[in-house]
Amino acid sequence: MKIKVFFIAFIFFCTKISAQKFEGLALTPPMGWNSWNTFQTNISDSLVRGIADVLVSSGMKDAGYTYLVLDDGWMAMERDNVTGNLVPDPKKFPDGMKVLVDYVHAKGLKFGLYNCAGTKTCAGYPGTRGYEYQDARFYASLGIDYLKFDWCNTEGINAKEAYNTMSKALKTAGRPIVFSLCEWGDNKPWEWAENVGELWRTTGDISAVFDGYLDHGTWKQTGVMPIVDLQKGLRKYAGPGHWNDPDMLEVGNGMSVDEDKVHFSLWCMLAAPLIAGNDLRKMSKATNEILINKEAISINQDKAGMEGFLYKTKDSLEVYVKPLSNDDWAVCFLNRSHRPIQINYNWNDEIVTDTLFNKTMNAKEHAYKIRNVWTKSGNTDTKKPFAATLSSHDVIMLRLSVGISG
Ligand code: GLA
């Protein structure tokens, strides 16, 4: 008996010491805004204040966008030569960072910063290698809530160890900070990061290109649809508190409104973090409406946290499905081609079985009510086939709810 009790206590102890990250930080995919996709390193005090103001006035905060994250470029080129601490660039941030963090917090938002596991960040600023515990204490002293941690200049460094070290450093510093691993999927973080951070990038950098790449000569930025294709097989690794991150949003950054709608819908279907990357201060009404579509967001933020998947493809019509709480489903029809497609989808012939989460969508057994997330209309159900014409690079996003007997 004594041995049994000892054994149970030992297992409990081991679970506790390996339970390294803060619990409960991102039970649904994190939502916010990040400076990189539009501003790169051209960031400043006034930009942060302006973005924080618009996060509130545009309805984005109400829709769930919480984190305002400054990406690469916030630091001076050198650490403080006495303390070794990171130094906010005094030209960009003449009053330092703490006042900005306070400003953002006072708006009911949270604040994030960026650094890198390597010796320097991707843009050449001081990296964290060798300063993990010191930097974590620095972030905690500033009141930071989110850290994006990149992977440039890491030759000879083991990714799992490097991210583990930073995760432990954050935990030791004592302030709950969402830890966003940005290692581009090179070392399959989905296989080892569930207990290290709250989200991990699965691919290289996104670009505002719909179905191709942006070629920079020595490297390529990946467009929206190739990134979606690369998520195949990863859904089993995501769930509440630990998310696959197919990179930040490019909504409002140059694609057509329909393409932006597709991009946003798929990020919702993939239970991806929704981190806007456009200049919120100048966004159009159409961009704003996409970003704050609460019905789409509720599919992304569904508390069961089950990532969706590509159910079938037929002649450039792709059908994505996502199981939701209460046996609801989200369904997206996407036209990937350059011509309009006529959809004739007989729900009774399409029995979707999700063996991973043990969910079935079977309209033959019972009909579902249908709600169109973008047109915000209802009044239909799955008793009759779904018919619509879908233009090129456009999407129809539906929520199917149980509640009608078949
Ligand atoms: C990498 C990341 C980007 C961005 C830049 C900053 O490319 O993947 O998201 O953070 O670095 O330099």
Side-chain angles (χ1 to χ4, degrees), residues 148 181-185 189 199-205 245 247:
K148 173 174 169 183
L181 286 73
C182 178
E183 128 341 320
W184 320 313
L199 59 158
W200 50 77
R201 280 274 293 278
T202 53
T203 66
D205 288 8
D245 174 11
D247 207 358

Side-chain angles (χ1 to χ4, degrees), residues 34 36-37 41 71-73 114 121-124 148 150-152 182 184 201 203-206 219 247-248:
N34 174 297
W36 185 255
N37 284 355
T41 58
D71 208 284
D72 210 350
Y114 160 102
T121 71
C122 298
K148 173 174 169 183
D150 214 339
W151 188 237
C152 280
C182 178
W184 320 313
R201 280 274 293 278
T203 66
D205 288 8
I206 195 170
W219 67 291
D247 207 358
M248 304 171 292

Side-chain angles (χ1 to χ4, degrees), residues 110-237:
K110 296 188 169 188
F111 199 99
L113 283 176
Y114 160 102
N115 210 313
C116 189
T119 47
K120 283 186 188 308
T121 71
C122 298
Y125 296 89
T128 288
R129 181 69 175 159
Y131 290 88
E132 290 82 359
Y133 283 80
Q134 176 163 4
D135 287 357
R137 283 195 299 275
F138 178 69
Y139 301 136
S141 75
L142 286 176
I144 295 303
D145 310 291
Y146 186 110
L147 177 69
K148 173 174 169 183
F149 208 52
D150 214 339
W151 188 237
C152 280
N153 305 301
T154 52
E155 288 70 25
I157 302 180
N158 177 296
K160 193 173 164 184
E161 280 175 18
Y163 282 97
N164 250 299
T165 304
M166 193 62 209
S167 173
K168 280 189 193 136
L170 291 172
K171 185 79 186 281
T172 307
R175 182 176 171 85
I177 292 180
V178 169
F179 189 36
S180 155
L181 286 73
C182 178
E183 128 341 320
W184 320 313
D186 287 4
N187 297 278
K188 301 191 175 164
W190 44 87
E191 288 181 354
W192 47 261
E194 176 173 344
N195 205 30
V196 177
E198 280 67 36
L199 59 158
W200 50 77
R201 280 274 293 278
T202 53
T203 66
D205 288 8
I206 195 170
S207 65
V209 169
F210 185 70
D211 208 354
Y213 296 81
L214 194 61
D215 201 339
H216 296 278
T218 50
W219 67 291
K220 280 183 186 168
Q221 259 176 283
T222 318
V224 167
M225 289 313 303
I227 285 193
V228 172
D229 296 339
L230 288 165
Q231 307 310 308
K232 196 170 173 218
L234 299 186
R235 64 189 294 258
K236 66 172 181 238
Y237 299 103

Side-chain angles (χ1 to χ4, degrees), residues 21-95:
K21 70 179 190 184
F22 288 98
E23 286 306 315
L25 281 191
L27 295 178
T28 58
M31 294 176 67
W33 178 88
N34 174 297
S35 52
W36 185 255
N37 284 355
T38 296
F39 298 96
Q40 287 86 51
T41 58
N42 300 316
I43 51 183
S44 66
D45 180 291
S46 66
L47 175 71
V48 173
R49 288 171 196 268
I51 293 290
D53 294 349
V54 182
L55 273 169
V56 176
S57 64
S58 63
M60 287 181 69
K61 180 189 158 206
D62 282 349
Y65 295 84
T66 304
Y67 294 96
L68 190 163
V69 182
L70 277 183
D71 208 284
D72 210 350
W74 64 269
M75 292 175 271
M77 289 315 271
E78 302 293 339
R79 287 175 179 270
D80 183 292
N81 58 16
V82 178
T83 63
N85 275 344
L86 295 166
V87 180
D89 183 326
K91 287 208 185 74
K92 296 172 181 170
F93 304 101
D95 300 325

Side-chain angles (χ1 to χ4, degrees), residues 296-316:
I297 291 171
S298 78
I299 287 168
N300 172 271
Q301 295 285 300
D302 185 83
K303 61 178 187 317
M306 296 177 279
E307 188 173 319
F309 60 98
L310 176 62
Y311 162 59
K312 75 187 311 188
T313 306
K314 192 168 178 269
D315 303 333
S316 298

